[in-house]
């Protein structure tokens, strides 16, 4: 018997209509944990490096995580993996909600989809019964409408549904996969789902998930619940409210938006508006939120309540989470939050990425204002800021007119439009739109995080440490109960907090490169564990002092699965996954030149120093100066097969 | 006579449908304890509709061999919102293990399951679902209630009493007599 996991994948070939239940290899769990980790291994094994995102050979993997469906609080993430249509690299995309626990209760850890359906279909998984069903009548329906329609026609209100909207159907490069409570948005995997003509997957499961060491496992769960409660009651002093709590972050609960509005850039990631946030704005915005927000809700088995049900008159209801509350408002340079709530309804029903879509639209407006796009390119383009965003969004998700070009995202649109549009592509990394943040002094820790993160998405890489030096008088207090630090690093990391901000202990030339590398590795590694366990970063890798950390996570795995696990083994498994994904991207053409933040991310840049930092970081990670994992690194992580492949491709020379 | 009544208070304004109560219940009642989780086995089920802001935890209550007549339709949040009609495809907010649906039945055997307020040795401070509900939608209370002392009827007594109420004592006696003769 398998514990914590079901031990089965569902293999679906949409070209032939064949569905098979396949037993997974228990060795995989030990080496690659589950979720993202095992997805990565499947991609490496089965999707060759030259496969196009829209090839029938591209896999689209919908995975639960190793701890999903166990009693572990907040283990509910769905991890979707495929080749991204936007940058042709390994596509990370994840979401919370209720879908992946349901999948495991139905008896499957993953649904692996290949091929392409000749016409629109959806998948219905009801325990042992699987069906590919006609979805032609659902074409054009929104993400939420699709889910409701399917539940209703199956007469199964307890079915959990993930679906795509118009954007996914029309293969918009930043289309999301949506489930009411969650959005899997980054890197356009909704477009891959659309390309396969898979409108939705509905699941209902009523089977058991077994726990290897039940009493021990439950005790750890109770400790986590206690700590969640403690952290909700005692926010961390001395950091902005948005970073003081746990969650993803608490955008729907908190009204104080000074942190985001002062430090993030408006428009097409261009300018900061310091001083915009004042008492009057705060009151208006608080009123808007309290008017439209009906209720705060959580994902499956989680008490943290990061999302809000939003109901705006004249717009269909939706569920809002995280920073998208601000992304449209800021990109459109609109001062009222009402607009944000309105356009988000459309955006989530269409199914688009709330980070990328506003950037693309702001980019289009910039081109228009600079005469690169004209009224002949955009006949009927409105004058009003808000109307412009609605207009552009409607065009993009239908790929109509200028929308056809913009639907590929800033990088490709800039190159297709030409006429100097390329110069306006200033906020992408690896062809992917970034959080709109433009700062002054180079932050060497974030420099490495932004540049080298395989996910190309800072919020899924960062965490654990405060983002600014703490005031001197609270530093001692802060490090006193900082139990989350990995074994052996306690002194160094605590010392970092205690000194940071003192004379000579400031960015950019401090901390030393080796400490930067260690801090980056810690932040990133915790995310890789979460993504494999199916744990929400909001209670684990993202916040400061999270309930889950490197000391209790191995216990969850050991007690849950019965597999022998400790801190070192778990850390190494995460490194294995991290290096495998990097290696996979290298076979798909990733180069050191691609590892750079947007040029204007910081005003003050230090090219030589940055290169030195990068060299040191690569060295620390066991990568050569090209950023390629060395033979020793690969062999140490049991990735000999990667090394052999690298030799075959000429990436490494045989020794 | 005084009797202790155990109460799980359900605050619908606080419930947000996360189903932690289902997880805790299913895990606690598995055998061995916590060895498996399956919310379908949970003795508390959350009726939920995210878009309508409907989250209603319902405890498994009684077994019934026959479904009830008609179907209730609930209006929820009328004051706060536009007023939602809520009715699942079969029925809603009922704790019965009933032939009309799969709820409150063991998924394998179909046997009915009902809430036991986590009676166990040693006793819990509060039922598991309450313990795991960190948002306090579920809270636990014990009340003392005055109850009249009553003579508990045997099962057969109850059945015959029903017959007597319906047909009168004489007719029942006649029938029993006739049946006795037939058997001889």
């Amino acid at each position: 018997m398998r514990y914590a996991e079901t031990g089965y994948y569902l293999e679906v070939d949409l070209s032939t209509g064949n569905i098979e239940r396949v037993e997974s290899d228990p060795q995989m769990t030990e080496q690659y944990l589950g979720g993202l980790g095992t997805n990565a291994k499947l991609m490496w094994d089965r999707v060759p490096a030259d496969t196009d995102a829209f090839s029938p050979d591209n896999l689209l993997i919908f995975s639960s995580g190793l701890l999903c469906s166990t009693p572990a609080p907040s283990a509910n993430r769905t991890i979707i993996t495929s080749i991204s249509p936007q940058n042709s690299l390994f596509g990370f995309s994840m979401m919370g909600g209720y879908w992946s626990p349901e999948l495991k209760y139905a008896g499957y850890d993953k649904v692996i989809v290949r091929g392409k359906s000749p016409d629109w279909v959806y998948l219905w998984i009801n325990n042992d019964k699987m069906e590919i069903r006609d979805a032609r009548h659902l074409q054009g329906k929104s993400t939420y409408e699709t889910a409701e329609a399917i539940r209703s026609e199956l007469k199964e209100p307890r079915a959990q549904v993930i679906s795509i909207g118009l954007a996914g159907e029309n293969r918009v490069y930043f289309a999301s996969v949506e489930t009411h409570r969650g959005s899997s948005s980054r890197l356009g995997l909704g477009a891959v789902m659309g390309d396969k003509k898979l409108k939705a997957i509905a699941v209902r499961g009523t089977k058991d998930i077994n726990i290897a060491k039940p009493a021990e496992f439950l005790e750890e769960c109770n400790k986590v619940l206690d700590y969640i409660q403690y952290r909700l009651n005692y926010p961390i002093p001395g950091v902005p409210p948005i970073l003081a709590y746990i969650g993803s972050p608490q955008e729907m609960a908190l009204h104080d938006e000074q942190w985001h509005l002062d430090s993030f850039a408006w428009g097409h990631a261009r300018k900061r508006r310091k001083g915009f946030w004042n008492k009057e704005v705060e009151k208006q915005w608080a009123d808007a939120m309290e008017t439209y927000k009906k209720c705060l809700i959580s994902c499956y088995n989680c008490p943290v309540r990061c999302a809000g049900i939003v109901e705006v008159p004249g717009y269909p209801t939706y569920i809002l989470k995280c920073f998208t509350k601000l992304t449209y408002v800021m990109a459109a340079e609109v001062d009222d939050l009402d607009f944000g709530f309105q356009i988000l309804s459309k955006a989530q029903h269409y199914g688009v990425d709330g980070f990328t879509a506003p950037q693309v639209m702001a980019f289009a407006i910039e081109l228009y204002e600079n005469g690169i796009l004209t009224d002949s390119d955009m006949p009927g383009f409105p004058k009003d800021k808000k109307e412009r965003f609605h207009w552009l969004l409607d065009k993009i998700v239908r790929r109509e007119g200028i929308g056809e070009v913009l639907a590929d995202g800033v990088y490709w649109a800039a190159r297709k439009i030409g006429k100097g549009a390329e110069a306006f592509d200033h906020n992408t990394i690896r062809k992917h739109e970034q959080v709109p943040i433009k700062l002054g002094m180079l932050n060497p820790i974030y420099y490495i995080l932004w540049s080298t993160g395989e996910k190309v998405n800072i919020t899924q890489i960062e965490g654990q440490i405060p983002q600014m030096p703490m005031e001197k008088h609270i530093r001692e207090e802060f490090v006193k109960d900082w139990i989350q630090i990995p074994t052996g690093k306690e002194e160094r990391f605590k010392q970092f907090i205690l000194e940071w901000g003192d004379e000579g202990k400031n960015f950019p030339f401090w901390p030393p490169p080796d400490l930067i590398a260690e801090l980056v590795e810690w932040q990133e590694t915790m995310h890789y564990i979460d993504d494999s366990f199916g744990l929400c970063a909001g209670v684990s890798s993202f916040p400061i002092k999270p309930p889950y950390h490197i000391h209790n996570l191995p216990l969850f795995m050991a007690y849950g699965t019965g597999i022998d696990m400790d801190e070192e083994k778990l850390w190494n498994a995460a490194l294995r996954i991290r290096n495998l994904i990097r290696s996979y991207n290298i076979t798909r053409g990733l180069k050191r030149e691609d590892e750079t933040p947007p040029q204007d991310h910081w005003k003050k840049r230090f090219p030589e120093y940055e290169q030195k930092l990068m060299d040191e970081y690569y060295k620390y990670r066991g990568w050569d100066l090209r950023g390629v994992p060395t033979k020793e690194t690969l062999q140490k992580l049991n990735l000999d097969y990667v090394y052999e492949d690298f030799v075959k491709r000429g990436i490494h020379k045989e020794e | 006579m005084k009797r202790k009544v155990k109460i799980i208070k359900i605050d619908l304004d606080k419930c947000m449908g996360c189903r932690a109560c289902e997880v805790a219940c299913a895990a606690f009642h598995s055998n061995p304890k916590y060895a498996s989780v399956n919310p379908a086995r949970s003795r508390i089920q959350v009726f939920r509709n995210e878009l309508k802001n409907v989250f209603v935890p319902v405890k498994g209550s009684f077994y019934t061999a026959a479904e009830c007549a008609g179907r209730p339709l609930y209006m929820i949040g009328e004051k706060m919102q536009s007023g939602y009609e809520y009715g699942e495809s079969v029925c809603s907010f009922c704790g019965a293990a009933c032939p009309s649906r799969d709820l409150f039945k063991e998924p394998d055997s179909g046997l009915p399951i009902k809430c036991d307020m986590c009676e166990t040795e040693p006793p819990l401070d509060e039922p598991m679902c309450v313990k795991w509900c960190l948002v306090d939608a579920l809270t636990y209370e014990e009340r003392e209630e005055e109850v009249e002392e009553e003579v508990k009827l045997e099962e057969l007594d109850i059945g015959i009493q029903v017959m007597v109420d319906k047909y009168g004592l004489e007719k029942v006696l006649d029938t029993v007599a006739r049946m006795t003769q037939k058997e001889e």
Side-chain angles (χ1 to χ4, degrees), chain A residues 76 96-98 181-182 297-303 305, chain B residues 16-19:
Chain A
N76 51 47
Y98 292 79
R181 174 60 193 81
I297 60 168
S298 284
C299 297
Y300 180 79
N301 191 22
C302 175
R305 290 182 288 191
Chain B
M16 41 91 185
C18 78
R19 299 171 65 192

Side-chain angles (χ1 to χ4, degrees), chain A residues 281-318:
Chain A
V281 175
E282 179 160 6
K283 194 187 169 302
Q284 284 168 5
W285 283 37
D287 285 349
M289 193 146 89
E290 292 314 315
T291 308
Y292 302 136
K293 180 183 77 187
K294 292 301 155 197
C295 174
L296 288 176
I297 60 168
S298 284
C299 297
Y300 180 79
N301 191 22
C302 175
V304 186
R305 290 182 288 191
C306 307
I309 303 173
V310 178
E311 218 180 58
V312 187
Y315 291 85
T317 309
Y318 64 101

Side-chain angles (χ1 to χ4, degrees), chain A residues 488-489 492-493 513-523 571 617 620:
Chain A
K489 309 270 185 189
R492 283 168 69 71
F493 290 0
D514 54 338
L515 183 53
I516 292 173
E518 286 170 58
L519 287 167
V520 168
E521 184 187 49
W522 179 32
Q523 298 185 49
W571 190 270
Y617 179 68
Y620 176 85

Side-chain angles (χ1 to χ4, degrees), chain A residues 22 59 86 104 127 150 155 164 177 190 224 284 345 367 376 383 398 405 442 449 508 548 584 594 596 612 641:
Chain A
V22 180
L59 296 184
Q86 196 182 35
K104 278 176 89 166
N127 290 324
I150 287 174
K155 289 196 170 37
I164 53 169
V177 181
V224 162
Q284 284 168 5
S345 166
L367 294 188
S376 68
K383 294 227 169 342
R398 293 181 177 82
V405 181
L442 174 85
L449 281 169
Y548 286 103
Y584 187 59
D594 302 319
T596 175
K612 203 185 118 221
Y641 60 91

Side-chain angles (χ1 to χ4, degrees), chain A residues 292-507:
Chain A
Y292 302 136
K293 180 183 77 187
K294 292 301 155 197
C295 174
L296 288 176
I297 60 168
S298 284
C299 297
Y300 180 79
N301 191 22
C302 175
V304 186
R305 290 182 288 191
C306 307
I309 303 173
V310 178
E311 218 180 58
V312 187
Y315 291 85
T317 309
Y318 64 101
I319 295 161
L320 178 55
K321 44 257 157 188
C322 203
F323 184 53
T324 42
K325 181 178 123 193
L326 303 182
T327 51
Y328 289 88
V329 174
M330 292 180 79
E333 299 188 68
V334 166
D335 293 355
D336 65 85
L337 193 56
D338 298 54
F339 162 74
F341 283 137
Q342 287 162 356
I343 196 160
L344 265 160
S345 166
K346 259 188 180 174
Q348 290 207 6
H349 278 263
Y350 286 148
V352 288
D353 176 358
F355 275 7
T356 291
Q359 292 284 301
V360 174
M361 297 193 285
F363 160 76
I365 288 169
E366 247 185 8
L367 294 188
Y368 181 80
E369 281 166 356
N370 283 278
I372 295 171
L373 287 176
T374 62
D375 284 326
S376 68
D377 301 310
M378 301 152 85
F381 189 51
K383 294 227 169 342
D384 175 73
K385 281 180 182 174
K386 299 177 188 173
E387 283 172 35
R388 282 180 169 181
F389 255 53
H390 284 283
W391 189 92
L392 284 166
L393 185 58
D394 290 343
K395 296 280 178 214
I396 287 169
V397 297
R398 293 181 177 82
R399 283 190 173 271
E400 264 171 24
I402 193 69
E404 169 64 25
V405 181
L406 295 174
D408 291 352
V410 170
Y411 177 88
W412 295 110
R415 275 134 196 94
K416 215 178 249 179
I417 293 165
K419 296 186 250 170
E422 295 92 334
F424 292 82
D425 166 21
H426 77 113
N427 198 39
T428 58
I429 302 177
R430 300 184 191 177
K431 306 184 179 72
H432 193 48
E433 294 77 4
Q434 300 299 310
V435 178
I437 186 162
K438 301 290 159 194
L439 303 165
M441 178 53 74
L442 174 85
N443 174 335
I445 300 170
Y446 270 76
Y447 168 74
I448 298 291
L449 281 169
W450 284 95
S451 303
T452 60
E454 230 62 55
K455 301 182 190 176
V456 227
N457 187 31
I458 194 71
T459 54
Q460 291 170 0
I461 310 167
E462 64 185 341
Q464 310 291 346
I465 59 171
Q467 299 196 357
M468 286 179 291
M470 304 193 88
E471 283 187 55
K472 210 168 170 66
H473 68 279
I474 54 171
R475 292 178 197 165
E476 282 286 352
E477 194 64 30
F478 177 83
V479 300
K480 218 181 269 169
D481 61 352
W482 203 12
I483 53 163
Q484 286 80 359
I485 305 174
T487 304
K489 309 270 185 189
E490 296 90 343
E491 283 313 305
R492 283 168 69 71
F493 290 0
K494 285 182 180 177
Q495 201 56 35
F496 164 71
I497 291 294
L498 292 173
E499 293 179 355
W500 187 14
D502 284 352
E503 182 77 38
K505 302 285 165 81
N506 264 312
F507 297 159

Side-chain angles (χ1 to χ4, degrees), chain A residues 540-559:
Chain A
S540 188
S541 43
F542 184 76
I544 303 165
K545 297 189 180 174
Y548 286 103
H549 44 77
I550 192 62
H551 306 293
N552 61 8
L553 286 164
L555 300 178
F556 273 95
M557 174 149 179
Y559 298 153

Side-chain angles (χ1 to χ4, degrees), chain A residues 237-250:
Chain A
V239 298
I242 211 77
L243 301 174
Y245 292 90
I246 51 172
S248 75
Q250 289 296 359

Side-chain angles (χ1 to χ4, degrees), chain B:
Chain B
M1 186 182 91
K2 288 210 162 152
R3 156 178 94 158
K4 196 169 75 177
V5 184
K6 297 177 169 184
I7 294 167
I8 294 176
K9 268 171 82 175
I10 300 173
D11 185 338
L12 295 187
D13 286 337
K14 285 186 180 158
C15 180
M16 41 91 185
C18 78
R19 299 171 65 192
C21 53
E22 294 183 12
V23 174
C25 177
F28 182 82
H29 289 98
S30 77
N31 190 12
K33 218 175 257 183
Y34 312 121
S36 72
V37 193
N38 179 356
R41 292 185 204 279
S42 169
R43 293 136 191 245
I44 185 163
Q45 294 284 329
V46 185
F47 290 76
R48 50 198 307 287
N49 186 321
E50 285 168 319
L51 291 183
K52 293 185 174 177
N53 190 5
V54 168
F55 307 109
V56 183
V58 174
K59 283 168 40 181
S61 52
F62 57 90
Y63 164 75
T64 168
E67 48 184 283
C68 63
R71 188 182 301 170
L73 199 58
Y74 290 81
M75 300 296 290
I76 293 181
E78 206 154 2
K79 277 184 193 151
M80 279 174 59
Q81 300 163 339
S82 42
Y84 289 123
E85 258 184 21
Y86 187 83
E88 288 199 353
S89 52
V90 183
C91 52
S92 320
F93 311 153
C94 169
C98 141
S100 70
R101 58 181 189 181
D102 298 331
L103 289 182
F104 302 114
K105 289 175 191 162
E106 283 284 351
D108 307 328
S109 61
L111 288 172
I113 44 182
K114 69 174 179 182
C115 172
D116 60 358
M117 303 297 276
C118 296
E119 296 243 349
T120 180
E121 278 303 321
L124 302 176
D125 298 338
E126 54 187 8
M128 276 301 281
C129 57
V130 174
K131 186 172 182 330
W132 273 52
C133 183
L134 295 197
V135 298
D136 290 334
L138 306 179
T139 46
Y140 180 64
E141 244 182 56
E142 282 178 8
R143 281 188 200 158
E144 291 228 318
E145 267 180 16
E146 197 67 44
V147 287
E148 272 181 46
E149 230 164 311
E150 53 180 333
V151 185
K152 281 216 166 170
L153 294 174
E154 294 281 331
E155 204 176 319
L156 187 58
D157 296 356
I158 297 171
I160 292 174
Q161 187 63 50
V162 171
M163 294 291 132
V164 171
D165 290 348
K166 189 164 181 184
Y167 300 105
L169 181 61
E170 206 168 326
K171 199 157 189 190
V172 171
L173 283 174
D174 283 354
T175 310
V176 173
R178 201 165 56 238
M179 285 167 80
T180 326
Q181 279 169 3
K182 262 186 198 164
E183 267 172 36
E184 280 167 3

